Amino acid sequence: MEFSSKLLQNAVHEMSQLPGIGKRTALRLVLHLLKQPEERTEHLSNALVKLKSEVNFCKKCHNISDTELCEICASTKRDGTVVCVVEDIRDVMAIENTSQYNGLYHVLGGKISPMEGVGPQDLNITSLVQRVKEGTIKELIFALSSTMEGDTTNFYIYRQLEGTEVATSTIARGISVGDELEYADEVTLGRSILNRVPFESSIKAT
Amino acid sequence: MEFSSKLLQNAVHEMSQLPGIGKRTALRLVLHLLKQPEERTEHLSNALVKLKSEVNFCKKCHNISDTELCEICASTKRDGTVVCVVEDIRDVMAIENTSQYNGLYHVLGGKISPMEGVGPQDLNITSLVQRVKEGTIKELIFALSSTMEGDTTNFYIYRQLEGTEVATSTIARGISVGDELEYADEVTLGRSILNRVPFESSIKAT
């Protein structure tokens, strides 16, 4: 792509570094900003720079937070004996949206992935083990995605917890509510039969 | 969507103002930036702010340019008697990529669209008429998209040029090279029959 201006080229180049944004989309976004009042661009760049420089992570669960302890960790209404281990803060938001969980979280910040050069030391695992060893946590719920990386991470943490008395569980895998059986993939359908639940408890959940 | 941090919420809000970027995508992009080194965010925001504050438009054709006169207008190798009228600089880039055009351009900056509150005074039409009246331009090629707005704009400019001796043309509409006739829409196919070209000239073009 040939640009008539270095400034434009540079802006498009930087924009296209974002995931899922190609050169064409970047050009469209940049030209849109050019047509808008100058404040638009300033607000956007200030918000990004400010977030990056002033961002704070909860010292307990590593969720993004403006305070030292995030709202969830600081709340007295939450059950401090259950901790849900998630990959990133989007998972916290997704689970919070269900209104079905009243425990705390632990945000790992990723999954162990040798292919992408992410090892256990890059994730918030040490602090999780530390939290468990303090003794108040009774159950850890692993809620990582069920990929090879997710399973590896779960297993690594599980091994680190040997010798402690914490119970571990993973979220249920099964057919989505409302899905047709015939279109479900075999692995999921197979697991949903193996891990079937008593009918009475399925009634209670709805 | 509930955020655990005002800073994060603000960044996502600003990012989601861009066209085609919803809240979820905005969150993904912002979290991606958070994981990257601080320079990434700084480079992006600097590039955007710098483009917006220092951007310069060619005083002749209104293309984005770092110099007073853009490379195309300043070139002695281009044919100054033909001017192609386009909506925005992406169209200039698209036509330049074909290597089939050696004339100059005029970037309108949009199309007349009463629905979006864009009138003739918002576009670079006066300067186009002025350029024509200077007398060196022999042909104007209208290359706006063939929508109602594009046709309206073409017609408005055409009326403004009454009394001048400039020739006007529009780019050919027809079946795309390589397309199957049976899948073409009727209007395009109809036009491509009405505006058929001598077989000899179609051989020359390939």
Side-chain angles (χ1 to χ4, degrees):
Chain A
M1 214 184 257
E2 291 225 7
F3 293 94
S4 55
S5 153
K6 284 266 172 233
L7 287 171
L8 179 68
Q9 183 169 23
N10 194 27
V12 169
H13 172 77
E14 290 296 335
M15 192 65 107
S16 65
Q17 303 292 308
L18 293 172
I21 308 276
K23 286 257 173 196
R24 268 167 193 268
T25 309
L27 179 61
R28 189 163 56 83
L29 297 179
V30 168
L31 290 179
H32 171 84
L33 279 176
L34 260 186
K35 279 193 184 177
Q36 302 288 310
E38 191 151 356
E39 302 90 76
R40 194 68 286 139
T41 310
E42 275 170 15
H43 288 173
L44 172 62
S45 56
N46 285 348
L48 293 178
V49 169
K50 205 165 172 211
L51 174 67
K52 182 69 189 172
S53 60
E54 296 180 18
V55 70
N56 182 49
F57 295 93
C58 171
K59 65 174 183 173
K60 197 164 173 186
C61 73
H62 305 283
N63 192 359
I64 295 178
S65 163
D66 293 337
T67 47
E68 202 171 270
L69 217 56
C70 76
E71 273 181 37
I72 297 173
C73 287
S75 167
T76 53
K77 290 183 185 154
R78 313 279 306 207
D79 179 359
T81 63
V82 192
V83 168
C84 182
V85 179
V86 293
E87 187 186 333
D88 94 15
I89 77 143
R90 276 178 291 178
D91 304 325
V92 174
M93 290 166 73
I95 297 176
E96 284 297 289
N97 273 341
T98 68
S99 310
Q100 297 287 327
Y101 179 65
N102 194 37
L104 305 182
Y105 293 93
H106 192 90
V107 181
L108 292 178
K111 289 171 294 192
I112 296 172
S113 169
M115 294 284 282
E116 292 172 25
V118 182
Q121 71 286 351
D122 301 315
L123 307 176
N124 302 316
I125 293 179
T126 321
S127 59
L128 174 62
V129 176
Q130 190 55 42
R131 277 179 84 179
V132 171
K133 285 187 175 156
E134 282 165 11
T136 43
I137 300 173
K138 291 194 181 130
E139 183 181 357
L140 275 195
I141 305 172
F142 291 122
L144 303 185
S145 51
S146 61
T147 56
M148 188 136 82
E149 288 86 5
D151 291 344
T152 307
T153 313
N154 286 344
F155 192 66
Y156 180 87
I157 298 173
Y158 180 75
R159 290 288 297 273
Q160 297 287 310
L161 296 172
E162 274 175 6
T164 67
E165 285 189 358
V166 72
T168 49
S169 59
T170 68
I171 54 170
R173 308 289 174 183
I175 308 297
S176 291
V177 177
D179 259 16
E180 304 277 356
L181 286 204
E182 54 180 323
Y183 300 121
D185 69 285
E186 292 145 33
V187 180
T188 306
L189 186 54
R191 280 218 209 175
S192 78
I193 291 174
L194 283 177
N195 301 327
R196 60 196 177 279
V197 294
F199 187 62
E200 292 86 357
S201 70
S202 78
I203 297 174
K204 261 201 297 189
T206 54
Chain B
M1 213 183 258
E2 291 223 6
F3 292 95
S4 55
S5 153
K6 284 266 172 233
L7 286 171
L8 179 66
Q9 182 169 23
N10 194 24
V12 169
H13 172 77
E14 290 296 335
M15 192 65 106
S16 65
Q17 302 293 308
L18 293 173
I21 309 275
K23 287 257 174 197
R24 269 166 191 269
T25 309
L27 179 61
R28 190 163 54 85
L29 297 179
V30 168
L31 289 179
H32 171 84
L33 279 176
L34 260 185
K35 279 195 184 176
Q36 303 289 309
E38 190 151 357
E39 302 89 76
R40 191 76 282 140
T41 310
E42 274 170 16
H43 287 173
L44 172 62
S45 55
N46 286 347
L48 293 179
V49 168
K50 204 164 173 211
L51 173 67
K52 182 68 191 174
S53 60
E54 295 181 18
V55 69
N56 182 50
F57 295 92
C58 171
K59 64 172 183 173
K60 198 165 173 186
C61 73
H62 305 283
N63 193 0
I64 295 178
S65 163
D66 291 339
T67 46
E68 200 170 276
L69 217 56
C70 77
E71 270 181 38
I72 297 173
C73 287
S75 166
T76 53
K77 288 181 185 156
R78 313 279 307 208
D79 180 359
T81 63
V82 192
V83 167
C84 182
V85 179
V86 293
E87 187 187 334
D88 94 14
I89 77 143
R90 277 180 289 179
D91 304 325
V92 174
M93 289 165 72
I95 296 176
E96 283 298 287
N97 273 342
T98 68
S99 311
Q100 297 286 326
Y101 179 66
N102 194 37
L104 306 181
Y105 293 93
H106 193 88
V107 181
L108 292 179
K111 289 172 292 193
I112 296 172
S113 169
M115 294 285 283
E116 292 172 26
V118 181
Q121 71 286 352
D122 301 314
L123 307 176
N124 302 316
I125 293 180
T126 321
S127 59
L128 174 61
V129 176
Q130 190 56 41
R131 276 178 85 178
V132 171
K133 284 187 177 158
E134 281 167 10
T136 43
I137 300 171
K138 291 195 181 129
E139 184 181 356
L140 276 196
I141 305 172
F142 292 122
L144 303 186
S145 52
S146 61
T147 55
M148 188 135 84
E149 288 85 5
D151 291 344
T152 308
T153 313
N154 286 344
F155 192 66
Y156 180 87
I157 297 174
Y158 181 75
R159 290 286 297 274
Q160 296 286 310
L161 295 172
E162 275 175 5
T164 67
E165 285 188 359
V166 71
T168 50
S169 58
T170 68
I171 55 170
R173 307 289 174 183
I175 308 298
S176 291
V177 178
D179 260 15
E180 304 277 355
L181 285 205
E182 53 180 325
Y183 300 120
D185 70 287
E186 293 146 32
V187 179
T188 306
L189 187 54
R191 279 217 210 175
S192 79
I193 290 175
L194 283 177
N195 302 325
R196 61 195 177 277
V197 294
F199 186 62
E200 292 84 358
S201 70
S202 78
I203 298 174
K204 260 200 297 187
T206 53

